Amino acid sequence: MDKGLHFTFCVITAMLLLRGSSQKGKKNDPKVLAAPNLGSDSRGPAEELPTLTVTTILEDPYVMVRSAELEGYCIDLLKALAAMLRFTYKLKVVGDGQYGAISSSGNWSGMIGEILRQEADIAVAPLTVTSAREEVVSFTTPFLQTGIGILLRKDTTSQDMPFFHFLAPFSKETWTGLLFAYMLTCFCLFLVARLSPCEWNEPKNEENHFTFLNSLWFGAGALALQGVTPRPKALSVRVIAAVWWLFTIALLAAYIANFTALLSSGTEELPIQTFEDLVKQRKLEFGTLDGSSTFYYFKNSKNPIHQMIYEYMDKRRDHVLVKTYQEAVQRVMESNYAFIGESISQDLAAARHCNLIRAPEVIGARGFGIATTQASPWTKPLSIAVLKLREAGDLDYLRNKWWETSCLQQSRDRWSPLPPQALGGLFLTLAVGLALGVIVAMVELSNKSRRAAGHVKKSCCSIFTEELCTRLRIKENTRQSQEASGRPNA
């Protein structure tokens, strides 16, 4: 009996020791250490995370099918949100391929309808936040900002160059300032050449080569980067000539650069700059996505131009409204068709297809948000997560990643003439140079007056005044007056 109790005690002791060593091994297991503390039961960590059903729509670059898997901007955004908020998800593509619009029977279609029917918990897609949708579902903080623009094909919008297209690189104010600078510089050349004794030593016996007409010709030659006569001799005239040459070289460089940008951008060739231009023309048909927020924007707008656009699309809805964004882009590329839609998506189309361009005007600023049910506890956490991603720069990174382009950036930017402010420093340099030239001429004249005053025993001021009056009152036909005065002596 004692042996049996002793054996039983030994077996129990051995079992307790084995159990303790097993628990110690589990504590030292790195997988167990790395797992989060989600509960005391034996279920895995993934089973503890809530699972959300996410509906989306196929649209490049938000959601695309690549190698039997979905990828794109919204997929990366969804992965980042799931990692921040610790949830798993089941992704499904919307059944009817629609974003969400209310039908005549009062039922919602698309992703909005699936959320209302509780077929999906959230919608992560380029879904525009509108007041009608906000009445039935809740939206998070927008993760992308956009508007309504016009997508065109470049060759369908080209027109003949204006007759004075070469004047386009500079604005009207810049050309006016250039003309004023040219006239002022030529006048200063004429004035300084008269005042400087180094350029015109004896006004009564010599002829001044820098007449006003010769000064105009000298300034025009510098604009053409050509050396013309008369050649300046005095330091004061050379100062003004050097500053004018510097001004013209910088001006020509700015003109050539801006004219090259104008020719490569092609913006000035667009006859359709605004929605009003689109309504007035008759060459292009235009439409938008059927049932999209863009269509209802024009329907509800009180703007007369927007009402005309809606009436046109509503009367010809079977012909001008498209079902998908891919169909819209293909139609713009293959026919005389202008697509009205989200400007951010049109920027992507212009980046992928270099023969497409977006018109400059964008209306109806709006944003893409994540849709949830109105009573969903995920709305606020998702909004906060979107804000954190924006503050960390992750949304900008995704934007640059999926909107990468091989087309020239300048071909998508709006070109504008060069304003006078861009050349303000150049005009200021010219003004300082002109003032410096006049000052040097006055110094040269005063030095001659001082030397002459010592010979004739007069004050320097009186000699300076006489020289100044003589040089400013002398006529251009000095030689003729000299010949007329020499005839009686003969």
Side-chain angles (χ1 to χ4, degrees):
M1 185 69 179
D2 293 338
K3 292 181 179 181
L5 291 174
H6 179 72
F7 176 77
T8 302
F9 178 76
C10 291
V11 170
I12 294 175
T13 303
M15 292 179 64
L16 291 175
L17 291 174
L18 290 174
R19 184 179 179 183
S21 62
S22 176
Q23 290 180 352
K24 183 178 180 181
K26 289 182 180 180
K27 290 182 181 179
N28 295 329
D29 190 355
K31 294 183 179 179
V32 177
L33 291 175
N37 185 15
L38 300 176
S40 58
D41 54 6
S42 60
R43 290 183 295 178
E47 297 182 16
E48 287 298 315
L49 299 178
T51 302
L52 301 180
T53 302
V54 182
T55 181
T56 188
I57 191 170
L58 294 178
E59 182 175 332
D60 188 10
Y62 303 99
V63 180
M64 301 173 290
V65 180
R66 299 284 174 85
S67 302
E69 294 183 358
L70 296 178
E71 65 176 21
Y73 179 93
C74 290
I75 303 301
D76 290 349
L77 175 63
L78 184 59
K79 291 178 180 178
L81 294 175
M84 292 182 64
L85 300 180
R86 299 183 57 76
F87 66 85
T88 60
Y89 56 87
K90 296 179 181 178
L91 194 61
K92 62 185 294 289
V93 179
V94 60
D96 57 4
Q98 301 293 322
Y99 289 87
I102 189 170
S103 62
S104 57
S105 60
N107 297 323
W108 282 84
S109 62
M111 293 177 284
I112 301 297
E114 290 188 351
I115 292 178
L116 293 177
R117 294 189 297 269
Q118 296 184 353
E119 298 176 6
D121 296 311
I122 61 175
V124 182
L127 191 60
T128 306
V129 180
T130 64
S131 58
R133 292 171 179 172
E134 190 73 49
E135 290 179 357
V136 294
V137 298
S138 295
F139 281 97
T140 64
T141 301
F143 56 86
L144 269 180
Q145 299 294 333
T146 182
I148 300 176
I150 308 171
L151 184 65
L152 308 161
R153 196 172 76 248
K154 291 181 180 179
D155 56 356
T156 60
T157 59
S158 61
Q159 64 177 7
D160 296 334
M161 289 286 186
F163 190 72
F164 293 99
H165 193 62
F166 68 94
L167 298 176
F170 291 160
S171 63
K172 296 180 180 179
E173 294 79 7
T174 304
W175 285 114
T176 303
L178 174 59
L179 179 61
F180 178 76
Y182 169 71
M183 297 300 296
L184 180 61
T185 303
C186 293
F187 177 77
C188 288
L189 278 173
F190 168 71
L191 178 63
V192 169
R194 280 179 169 269
L195 294 178
S196 175
C198 301
E199 190 70 40
W200 195 21
N201 192 22
E202 296 293 339
K204 296 181 180 181
N205 301 323
E206 297 178 357
E207 181 181 2
N208 184 14
H209 296 287
F210 268 97
T211 62
F212 188 70
L213 291 179
N214 288 344
S215 299
L216 292 175
W217 180 244
F218 183 88
L223 280 173
L225 300 181
Q226 299 293 323
V228 294
T229 55
R231 301 184 184 278
K233 300 177 182 179
L235 176 62
S236 54
V237 182
R238 289 181 177 180
V239 168
I240 294 180
V243 173
W244 177 245
W245 285 332
L246 176 64
F247 177 84
T248 55
I249 291 174
L251 188 73
L252 289 174
Y255 176 85
I256 293 173
N258 213 31
F259 192 65
T260 304
L262 168 63
L263 295 178
S264 59
S265 66
T267 305
E268 291 297 319
E269 299 178 11
L270 284 178
I272 300 177
Q273 300 281 335
T274 64
F275 285 88
E276 184 177 359
D277 297 334
L278 184 64
V279 173
K280 291 181 178 179
Q281 60 83 37
R282 293 294 181 266
K283 182 180 179 181
L284 299 178
E285 297 179 323
F286 53 88
T288 186
L289 290 175
D290 189 11
S292 64
S293 60
T294 302
F295 180 81
Y296 289 98
Y297 173 84
F298 288 99
K299 179 180 179 180
N300 300 325
S301 176
K302 303 302 181 182
N303 189 306
I305 301 297
H306 299 171
Q307 280 296 311
M308 294 174 63
I309 294 176
Y310 167 72
E311 292 174 0
Y312 174 86
M313 294 190 299
D314 188 51
K315 290 179 181 179
R316 309 187 62 190
R317 59 186 311 138
D318 295 335
H319 185 64
V320 299
L321 297 184
V322 294
K323 299 298 182 182
T324 62
Y325 180 77
Q326 290 77 10
E327 178 187 352
V329 174
Q330 194 70 22
R331 188 168 176 180
V332 172
M333 296 179 62
E334 296 178 353
S335 62
N336 293 336
Y337 181 78
F339 174 62
I340 303 175
E342 302 293 345
S343 61
I344 192 170
S345 300
Q346 294 174 350
D347 290 339
L348 175 69
R352 300 286 177 82
H353 309 281
C354 298
N355 62 331
L356 300 182
I357 189 172
R358 178 175 60 82
E361 185 181 30
V362 176
I363 61 174
R366 54 183 64 188
F368 292 154
I370 300 174
T372 65
T373 58
Q374 289 186 335
S376 174
W378 290 97
T379 306
K380 187 173 182 179
L382 286 171
S383 294
I384 297 175
V386 169
L387 290 175
K388 288 182 178 180
L389 290 175
R390 178 179 291 125
E391 293 170 355
D394 294 338
L395 295 184
D396 293 333
Y397 168 76
L398 293 179
R399 175 72 164 79
N400 297 330
K401 173 185 176 181
W402 293 103
W403 269 258
E404 185 179 2
T405 176
S406 59
C407 301
L408 293 176
Q409 180 68 26
Q410 62 182 7
S411 63
R412 303 195 312 271
D413 293 339
R414 177 172 174 81
W415 178 90
S416 59
L418 200 63
Q421 294 80 3
L423 301 174
L426 192 59
F427 282 97
L428 179 61
T429 303
L430 178 62
V432 172
L434 297 180
L436 180 61
V438 174
I439 293 174
V440 173
M442 299 297 288
V443 171
E444 292 173 346
L445 184 60
S446 63
N447 289 335
K448 182 185 178 182
S449 301
R450 188 180 299 109
R451 290 193 301 267
H455 290 87
V456 299
K457 305 300 181 178
K458 291 184 179 181
S459 65
C460 180
C461 292
S462 62
I463 297 297
F464 179 81
T465 305
E466 291 177 3
E467 285 283 344
L468 189 62
C469 294
T470 303
R471 294 174 182 275
L472 294 180
R473 291 176 181 176
I474 198 72
K475 296 182 179 179
E476 293 300 322
N477 53 355
T478 306
R479 183 176 301 173
Q480 297 179 1
S481 62
Q482 290 178 356
E483 293 178 357
S485 61
R487 287 174 185 175
N489 297 331

